Amino acid sequence: MKKVQLGKSEVEASPIALGTNAVGGHNLYNNLDEEQGKEVVRKAIKNGVSLLDTAYIYGLGRSEELIGETVKEFSRDEYQIATKGAHYFDENKEEQISNKPEFLKEQVEQSLKRLQVDYIDLFYIHFPDDETPKDEAVAALKELKDQGKIKAIGVSNFSLEQLKEANKDGYVDVVQLEYNLLNRENEHIFEYTSENNITFIPYFPLVSGLLAGKYTENSQFDDLRAENPEFQGDKFKENLKKVDELRTIADNHGVEVAHVVLAFYLTQPSLDVIIPGAKKPEQVIDNLTTLDVKLTESEIEKINQIFPVNNN
Ligand code: NAP
């Protein structure tokens, strides 16, 4: 798979990457099988899906630990690790966010230990806090980059204003934001990311599988999906209908709806990497088909009509 450069960094990553919040993310999903999670990671690396996207908060370090155990089976140039930090738990066990320079530095040290690696390819500030000036937070990561502990700097869940502040000195390589066909709000960031050589990585690309075209009105959910408004009542039915409209395009290319959706994202400016999550090894292989889909202008237009930018 031809690699892409992350922002202005030296890191080269696979455009089809792996979202790993279901690898050890016991706080996010019920009944996760850790061995299966490791097999997902193994399958990904073996097939050139070399960028692994994890975070401290996925299983409170467990996802990083499982990835660390698995990548030992490979040489360091066969994979890239992206992880994120910002969360901690206070004395009342309440979840809090910090972007303080010292806190971020400590988070990187802890991630390095859990991952059992010498450097992290991409470290993101997972969420913005309300206090820390964002350029100061990023300056802490720049220090770690200069020390070789991280290779690229990312921010996640930042507004455009916060991103601009974070990138005051031009150090931000990647921004990771929610973006999918049902929520296209963050397209307004594309202009800034394109002009500033920042890679835009969308998360939640398949809306937990909703955009993969595999659900029906009778599908039942007992995880995060049970609380997501996109999966409720008339809204759910409306979404299923829209997804169904993509089937003609998918049939034209001899692929599934999920591949059309993922291929569409890769046509967007500065959006060079996608991180679909996978629970099963076969989903990793399946998502690779995305690279075979070259959408025509009229297909792109059709997708824009079915899922208009201001649809929510
Ligand atoms: P997603 O990619 O939209 O959905 C993933 C789910 O879709 C999988 O768990 C699987 O669920 C299903 N799926 C995957 N490939 C499929 C295929 N080819 N065909 C059919 N179904 C398929 O959502 P996500 O996993 O929540 O997000 C992706 C990644 O983004 C995460 O793993 C994480 O790394 C990252 N993320 C980051 C943030 C952030 O704040 N920065 C927030 C959320 C997520 P089933 O097998 O259960 O159907």
Side-chain angles (χ1 to χ4, degrees):
M1 198 185 313
K2 196 170 174 298
K3 298 247 171 59
V4 293
Q5 191 185 347
L6 297 183
K8 300 156 284 286
S9 77
E10 287 170 11
V11 181
E12 299 212 319
S14 56
I16 310 285
L18 177 68
T20 67
N21 67 2
V23 178
H26 300 288
N27 52 338
L28 305 171
Y29 298 97
N30 301 325
N31 309 317
L32 285 181
D33 178 338
E34 293 196 345
E35 278 313 310
Q36 181 161 307
K38 287 172 78 171
E39 191 50 33
V40 164
V41 173
R42 216 171 269 132
K43 197 74 157 183
I45 303 174
K46 279 186 183 160
N47 287 279
V49 177
S50 58
L51 175 65
L52 312 168
D53 185 272
T54 184
Y56 156 69
I57 202 69
Y58 305 162
L60 311 186
R62 192 61 189 144
S63 178
E64 290 181 323
E65 283 171 0
L66 293 173
I67 288 170
E69 284 169 28
T70 314
V71 296
K72 276 187 183 169
E73 300 164 20
F74 298 87
S75 69
R76 190 63 183 87
D77 58 357
E78 285 181 281
Y79 62 88
Q80 301 84 43
I81 297 178
T83 191
K84 320 182 193 77
H87 295 85
Y88 68 95
F89 293 86
D90 66 15
E91 58 276 12
N92 301 319
K93 299 203 167 88
E94 302 275 350
E95 193 177 292
Q96 305 290 350
I97 298 290
S98 171
N99 297 168
K100 293 210 176 82
E102 287 315 310
F103 175 81
L104 292 176
K105 287 181 186 173
E106 181 52 31
Q107 290 309 295
V108 169
E109 293 301 336
Q110 289 181 16
S111 288
L112 283 167
K113 275 198 196 112
R114 285 189 291 263
L115 289 161
Q116 302 182 61
V117 290
D118 298 332
Y119 65 87
I120 290 162
D121 298 271
L122 166 62
F123 187 86
Y124 291 95
I125 302 173
H126 201 158
F127 278 87
D129 69 6
D130 295 330
E131 301 90 34
T132 317
K134 300 299 159 235
D135 52 333
E136 286 178 22
V138 166
L141 297 185
K142 174 67 167 66
E143 274 181 47
L144 299 178
K145 191 176 171 187
D146 291 342
Q147 292 165 14
K149 290 183 178 177
I150 67 174
K151 301 282 183 196
I153 297 174
V155 297
S156 184
N157 299 299
F158 276 36
S159 67
L160 179 57
E161 286 320 302
Q162 288 166 330
L163 172 61
K164 286 181 178 172
E165 190 183 327
N167 195 41
K168 233 187 231 170
D169 301 304
Y171 297 148
V172 176
D173 295 303
V174 179
V175 61
Q176 187 178 126
L177 299 172
E178 177 169 349
Y179 175 64
N180 55 61
L181 284 176
L182 295 180
N183 180 4
R184 299 182 60 170
E185 224 174 89
N186 278 324
E187 279 189 19
H188 74 282
I189 310 265
F190 288 162
E191 194 182 338
Y192 183 79
T193 47
S194 300
E195 283 171 2
N196 290 276
N197 200 358
I198 294 173
T199 304
F200 182 109
I201 300 187
Y203 72 69
F204 216 36
L206 294 174
V207 190
S208 299
L210 176 52
L211 292 177
K214 61 180 184 177
Y215 299 134
T216 68
E217 287 184 17
N218 301 323
S219 301
Q220 304 261 320
F221 308 100
D222 67 351
D223 55 16
L224 294 172
R225 289 169 255 219
E227 289 148 35
N228 186 332
E230 298 293 353
F231 286 78
Q232 314 300 325
D234 288 345
K235 184 87 184 151
F236 183 48
K237 286 184 195 158
E238 198 187 303
N239 287 335
L240 291 176
K241 232 165 119 189
K242 286 183 183 175
V243 170
D244 223 38
E245 286 184 60
L246 294 175
R247 278 190 209 282
T248 329
I249 301 177
D251 289 348
N252 285 344
H253 291 270
V255 299
E256 297 297 327
V257 166
H259 309 127
V260 169
V261 172
L262 296 173
F264 174 80
Y265 299 144
L266 289 170
T267 67
Q268 299 291 42
S270 76
L271 201 163
D272 300 327
V273 177
I274 50 172
I275 50 168
K279 291 199 190 78
K280 303 176 198 113
E282 54 270 27
Q283 288 170 335
V284 178
I285 303 300
D286 189 71
N287 287 333
L288 281 173
T289 304
T290 304
L291 289 175
D292 302 335
V293 183
K294 300 279 169 275
L295 294 170
T296 64
E297 284 304 320
S298 67
E299 286 170 335
I300 292 173
E301 202 181 306
K302 176 99 195 318
I303 295 170
N304 282 323
Q305 278 165 10
I306 304 170
F307 298 94
V309 176
N310 56 350
N311 65 345
N312 55 358

